[in-house]
Amino acid sequence: MSLLRRKIDQFLEEWKLKQNHLPLIVKGARQIGKTASILQFAHHHYKYVVNINFVLQSKYREVFADGFEVDSIIKNITIISPTIQVVPGETLIFFDEIQSCPSCATSLKSFAIDGRYDVICSGSLMGINYNEIESNSVGYKEDYSMHSMDFEEFLWAVGYTDSQISDMYAYMSAVKPLPKVLYEVIRAHFFDYMLVGGMPAIVRQFVVNNNFSGVAQMQQQLLYDYEEDITKYAQGLDKGKIKNIYNHIPVFLGRDNKKFQITKVAHGARSRDYVGTVEWLKDAGIVNVCYCLDQVSLPLKGNYNPRLFKLYYHDTGMLVASLDAESQDDLRQNRNYGTYKGGLFENIVSEMLVKQGYQLYFYRNDKSTVEMDFFVRTASSLVPVEVKASDNSTPSLNNLTGKPDKYPDIKFGIKLCDKNIGFNGKFYTFPYFLTFMLRRFLKERK
């Protein structure tokens, strides 16, 4: 099986075509495919590729010891490895795992001004701390945030073409139900994706074997790796408390009220003792934070309470791996998705929204008479998004979309559930699996 197609592939193509393009930093959680995608691009577009990994090849951390002049850096690289060829205009220098060499980011200003060599850096968000870098080359670099595979990339992996996906979107855009065969087949792929997740190595294993063999073990190892990285990189914070937060995410997602409460993660836990822990996990790229709106109105930014939030895993496969073995078996063998109180569906919707560039917000009033899982927006309106694990009634969505005097910013809503496409005059109904095209749909609705 060839390398998996990723959305960063097109971005890198466009980056190279830009005149006077800046050095690029590709950031994201560990093992989401950053290095593989960059190296594939590099070897297809450059005659010479300098590939330096600051974790595996720590000796290269000294190439900046004599300063940040490009000629000095190149000289030191070739002193360490005299067989490396560096030719102006034909060379990509790839600095990998830059979290282990903060000085590297400082050098990007020099590379940008010099212009003779293309430079791409990559690193795990767990280790990238710009406070440790004397100058992060503001204005002389471009940043790209990468995620694990989204559902469209998963569909590419199992063989679907852009044309087939566009045909699917045509039904969504026209608000017409998908044909039964198309609906059932894509629905089945989506439930596979929900259990497998989007980590490339795991997706590859699943696609090659065409079953779940080995998937659970790989997911479990990733959970261990993340905990190990917390121990390694969480400087200046209580690592035990960060792990405590991380390990309690499935506990709260399994409850009817999925709001995360730090005071309930341990006996005697107090919010002030956990300051910075949630932010660290968010900055590390391994959790998505959904903040509670103060009021149902625009704008979203600045209209939320930073002390009230829900936490989701950045990849739903990791949530599945965090469950007990019996629950995992129930999900994979019996497809019993509804037993986790909608937590799986909320998590995967949160993930799909973030991968489209949305920030996450929810709402719950003091009496809990109006609750909404997520809010997004068009250019001119606020859009409530409700995630339903079953085809129950939607009183909150009906409330929010039926009172223009009380909620003037809301023109319509979105219901995501296990049903085909529809519209009742107040909100659109879409199957979960179409969430990855929601931003495209909303842009058409303005």
Side-chain angles (χ1 to χ4, degrees), residues 1 23 95 114 120 159 174 212 249 291 297 321 337 340 368 397 438:
M1 182 181 177
F95 294 120
D114 182 276
I120 297 180
F212 291 103
I249 295 173
Y291 292 105
S297 64
Y337 305 110
Y340 199 59
S368 295
L397 194 54
L438 190 59

Side-chain angles (χ1 to χ4, degrees), residues 55 69 78 110 117 143 181 206 224 248 252 305 317 372 396 425:
V55 170
E69 290 298 321
T78 55
S110 298
Y117 310 103
D143 292 297
V181 171
F206 174 78
Y224 293 145
H248 272 78
F252 287 94
N305 187 336
M372 188 50 52
S396 290

Side-chain angles (χ1 to χ4, degrees), residues 77-240:
I77 289 173
T78 55
I79 286 173
I80 294 172
S81 297
T83 59
I84 285 179
Q85 292 180 279
V86 187
V87 178
E90 299 182 71
T91 303
L92 174 72
I93 302 174
F94 176 32
F95 294 120
D96 202 2
E97 303 287 5
I98 65 167
Q99 73 274 5
S100 293
C101 185
S103 295
C104 180
T106 309
S107 73
L108 299 186
K109 180 177 180 179
S110 298
F111 278 107
I113 294 172
D114 182 276
R116 288 177 290 165
Y117 310 103
D118 285 356
V119 177
I120 297 180
C121 301
S122 176
S124 164
L125 286 171
M126 267 186 180
I128 294 178
N129 183 353
Y130 286 111
N131 292 328
E132 298 175 4
I133 300 172
E134 62 179 279
S135 169
N136 65 3
S137 301
V138 174
Y140 294 94
K141 65 177 175 62
E142 184 173 355
D143 292 297
Y144 180 88
S145 293
M146 189 173 174
H147 303 279
S148 63
M149 296 172 69
D150 68 13
F151 185 51
E152 185 169 18
E153 291 171 316
F154 184 85
L155 289 175
W156 292 340
V158 297
Y160 285 86
T161 65
D162 291 335
S163 177
Q164 289 172 309
I165 293 172
S166 293
D167 289 345
M168 194 189 319
Y169 179 72
Y171 287 97
M172 185 179 187
S173 179
V175 196
K176 293 181 178 179
L178 295 164
K180 183 177 180 180
V181 171
L182 179 60
Y183 178 91
E184 294 295 338
V185 170
I186 301 300
R187 175 181 181 270
H189 284 309
F190 176 74
F191 286 138
D192 285 341
Y193 171 69
M194 186 164 66
L195 300 183
V196 171
M199 306 303 273
I202 301 175
V203 172
R204 178 184 295 274
Q205 170 97 352
F206 174 78
V207 172
V208 169
N209 293 336
N210 197 28
N211 59 47
F212 291 103
S213 174
V215 166
Q217 292 88 336
M218 294 177 74
Q219 290 174 330
Q220 197 63 51
Q221 184 59 51
L222 268 178
L223 285 179
Y224 293 145
D225 290 344
Y226 280 145
E227 290 201 16
E228 186 177 305
D229 280 352
I230 290 172
T231 301
K232 182 177 179 181
Y233 291 118
Q235 305 300 324
L237 293 170
D238 188 318
K239 298 168 186 178

